[in-house]
Amino acid sequence: MPKVTVNNAKGLVQEGGGGLAVKTRMTMGHVDVSATGPSSPNVTQAGIVFADTSSNNVTLGGLVGGIKGQVVHIVKTSASNNLVLENSEGDAQNFLLAGDTTMNSVPGMFTCIYDGTNWQVLVSGDLS
């Protein structure tokens, strides 16, 4: 059996003979958004976007900084007001939806997966 080395100097690296070398860091940081923005939050270091709709509606046109295969959870933290994800808004990393999607009057969550071009959205919670 080949020896396996784990080195965290530049992210997680596992090598064994002709085995696997991974040089990507996985993080589960978070980003906060509100009605004042940002409308396209940077998720480079985040796996969770907390959307505070307590004072007004929050509209997101896309996410920025995603890498292919990344999963981001967008959490609506208040039952007040609406969280809107805009379909193909023109941002660098758009949401790919059938149309603009609204989560209203309930706390809830969207789970998004970046396919290298767009954020594919799986939805949960009450939608209108």
Side-chain angles (χ1 to χ4, degrees):
M1 177 172 263
K3 181 178 178 184
V4 175
T5 304
V6 177
N7 180 340
N8 205 25
K10 293 184 179 178
L12 178 63
V13 179
Q14 294 184 349
E15 299 180 57
L20 173 69
V22 178
K23 296 180 182 174
T24 302
R25 266 179 218 253
M26 298 301 287
T27 63
M28 200 56 161
H30 75 278
V31 175
D32 296 310
V33 297
S34 67
T36 59
S39 63
S40 295
N42 188 325
V43 294
T44 302
Q45 298 288 325
I48 300 171
V49 175
F50 289 113
D52 178 6
T53 59
S54 61
S55 65
N56 209 336
N57 295 337
V58 172
T59 300
L60 300 178
L63 302 174
V64 177
I67 59 171
K68 189 172 185 175
Q70 182 177 359
V71 175
V72 171
H73 305 284
I74 302 172
V75 180
K76 183 176 184 282
T77 61
S78 173
S80 303
N81 301 301
N82 298 333
L83 171 60
V84 180
L85 301 187
E86 295 180 313
N87 176 56
S88 298
E89 184 58 24
D91 293 12
Q93 295 181 347
N94 286 312
F95 296 114
L96 189 59
L97 299 157
D100 291 358
T101 302
T102 301
M103 185 178 293
N104 58 10
S105 302
V106 294
M109 180 179 77
F110 293 99
T111 298
C112 308
I113 302 168
Y114 190 59
D115 67 10
T117 304
N118 295 295
W119 288 94
Q120 303 286 334
V121 182
L122 309 171
V123 292
S124 63
D126 271 354
L127 300 176
S128 63

